[in-house]
Amino acid sequence: AVVAWPDDVPVLGNLLAAYPWTQALTWLLQIMPLFFFAGGAANALSWDRHAARGGAYADWLWGRARRLLRPLWVYLALMSIVATVVTLVAPAATSEPLMLLTTQLLWFLGAYVLVTALAPLFRATTPRGGAAGLAVLVGLVAAVDLARFALGVPEAVALVQFVLVWAVPAYAGSLRAHGILAAWPWQGMAAGVAAGFALNAVLIRYGPYPVSMVGMPGEPVSNMAPPTLVLALHSVVLALLVTLLDAPLRRILQRPGVWRRVVGVNLVAMTLYLWHLPVLIALSTAVHALGLDRPVAIGADGYPVPDGWGYLLGSIAFLAAAFAVCVWAVVRLLWPLEHAPLLWWDAPTRLPQPSRRAAAVAASVAAAAFGVATLVLSATGLAGFPLRIVPYAGL
């Protein structure tokens, strides 16, 4: 983030936009597909074990969602208090651009719950069937993009891509868990990586897609929100790359010191994911209040850009000495709440047990409703909470 404060109103930019050549780095550094890839593998293994015991779909989906969403309720409870205080004491022009960001990262939870609910369908019995399933998913993504960009279909149709695109790496993770990817020849996977890179280069060169795999300020099209065919192909490329690197990665992770650190990060992963952005917002505001802003200028497009070497030096100090310490402190304080039972959330239900079919339908509807609600919340933010009314999709 690059932040300018003309008249104490924050204007938000991005280093990738300030230096366009860096956007190509996102072809390797945009690793969100790997979260869905790993999650797809974990969900597949979990579902296989649960189904083998004769367990019901609703019980399984609740078990996956309960652990995942527990830190979200803590986050929303605390942030609703923070947002209310900010609404009451801070000028709207100053607070709203920042508070709009506070729910931005919740899209991940909405999309992840949606693809988790689909996990029992992600089953291929042969390597050829796995490749066909992956091709069908990518083809559906391409069809939606074609309707969106070439046929003039309303932009709202692109929202289905939050399911289809992120189902691509989740399905690839299921193929991984079931041994399908391991059965593909490495030459074929290497060719798939090269073909994916080449096809994305063609799509970006001649299509409506931007170079960056993350959203850019002012860009008419983002590869992330809603996700596009380019991101779906990027997901396949990353899944194949990780599979090709399986042997050396396993050797690295067999070292006890490395493995302990991986497990340690996993224990705090959701707290780290949810809270690092609010910490960044609060710290940037505090730095401005103290008059310690890094030097920035307003570019020709109206977005802030770094102004000289002082920005780089200030960023090193900001990230290493302030941001890292503050994130560590917040995560250290809040991560136990990822695992501590919540009174209502983790209590057994007192309602009569429905039939397996009724429970499965209810669980599916609830997952869909949660996914949609979370995606909407990620777009609307907490600016003006609880007094502001936000019209969205006619609601």
Side-chain angles (χ1 to χ4, degrees), residues 36-98:
F36 286 87
F37 179 62
N43 287 333
L45 294 170
S46 171
W47 169 249
D48 287 349
R49 290 192 297 266
H50 186 78
R53 296 192 297 265
Y57 171 75
D59 294 333
W60 173 80
L61 186 57
W62 168 244
R64 302 302 285 175
R66 184 174 63 179
R67 162 72 178 85
L68 176 73
L69 301 183
R70 189 183 296 123
L72 172 64
W73 308 133
V74 174
Y75 177 81
L76 290 178
L78 295 177
M79 283 306 302
S80 65
I81 297 171
V82 171
T84 301
V85 172
V86 169
T87 298
L88 293 176
V89 304
T94 299
S95 64
E96 287 191 1
L98 299 175

Side-chain angles (χ1 to χ4, degrees), residues 355-381:
S355 68
R356 287 175 69 128
R357 182 182 296 273
V361 171
S364 301
V365 171
F370 173 83
V372 172
T374 311
L375 291 171
V376 171
L377 183 59
S378 73
T380 56

Side-chain angles (χ1 to χ4, degrees), residues 260-347:
R260 279 197 298 271
R261 286 170 175 80
V262 170
V263 173
V265 172
N266 267 328
L267 286 174
V268 303
M270 280 306 304
T271 302
L272 179 60
Y273 180 78
L274 289 170
W275 286 99
H276 78 273
L277 186 54
V279 171
L280 179 62
I281 294 168
L283 193 57
S284 298
T285 305
V287 166
H288 173 68
L290 295 172
L292 300 174
D293 293 313
R294 288 164 282 176
V296 298
I298 301 297
D301 58 0
Y303 292 100
V305 297
D307 188 14
W309 284 99
Y311 187 90
L312 174 62
L313 298 176
S315 296
I316 294 172
F318 178 84
L319 292 171
F323 183 54
V325 171
C326 290
V327 168
W328 176 86
V330 169
V331 170
R332 185 68 185 84
L333 177 67
L334 295 177
W335 81 268
L337 298 179
E338 283 199 41
H339 310 276
L342 295 181
L343 290 178
W344 176 79
W345 183 245
D346 290 293

Side-chain angles (χ1 to χ4, degrees), residues 2 14 35 63 95 108 124 149 161 165 221 263 395:
V2 184
N14 193 302
F35 284 85
S95 64
F108 166 76
F149 294 122
Q161 299 288 54
V165 170
V221 175
V263 173
L395 302 176

Side-chain angles (χ1 to χ4, degrees), residues 378-392:
S378 73
T380 56
L382 290 177
F385 180 87
L387 306 176
R388 175 170 162 260
I389 297 173
V390 185
Y392 190 91

Side-chain angles (χ1 to χ4, degrees), residues 42-193:
N43 287 333
L45 294 170
S46 171
W47 169 249
D48 287 349
R49 290 192 297 266
H50 186 78
R53 296 192 297 265
Y57 171 75
D59 294 333
W60 173 80
L61 186 57
W62 168 244
R64 302 302 285 175
R66 184 174 63 179
R67 162 72 178 85
L68 176 73
L69 301 183
R70 189 183 296 123
L72 172 64
W73 308 133
V74 174
Y75 177 81
L76 290 178
L78 295 177
M79 283 306 302
S80 65
I81 297 171
V82 171
T84 301
V85 172
V86 169
T87 298
L88 293 176
V89 304
T94 299
S95 64
E96 287 191 1
L98 299 175
M99 296 305 293
L100 284 170
L101 300 176
T102 53
T103 60
Q104 188 179 65
L105 298 182
L106 301 190
W107 71 265
F108 166 76
L109 289 167
Y112 189 80
V113 167
L114 288 170
V115 300
T116 297
L118 298 175
L121 302 177
F122 294 163
R123 188 66 194 262
T125 55
T126 66
R128 181 175 297 179
L134 208 54
V136 167
L137 275 175
V138 173
L140 290 173
V141 171
V144 174
D145 269 14
L146 180 66
R148 176 187 177 192
F149 294 122
L151 302 182
V153 172
E155 185 70 13
V157 74
L159 296 179
V160 74
Q161 299 288 54
F162 279 104
V163 178
L164 291 177
V165 170
W166 293 116
V168 171
Y171 179 72
S174 181
L175 298 182
R176 159 99 184 193
H178 294 136
I180 303 299
L181 285 188
W184 290 355
W186 72 265
Q187 298 93 335
M189 286 191 284
V193 170

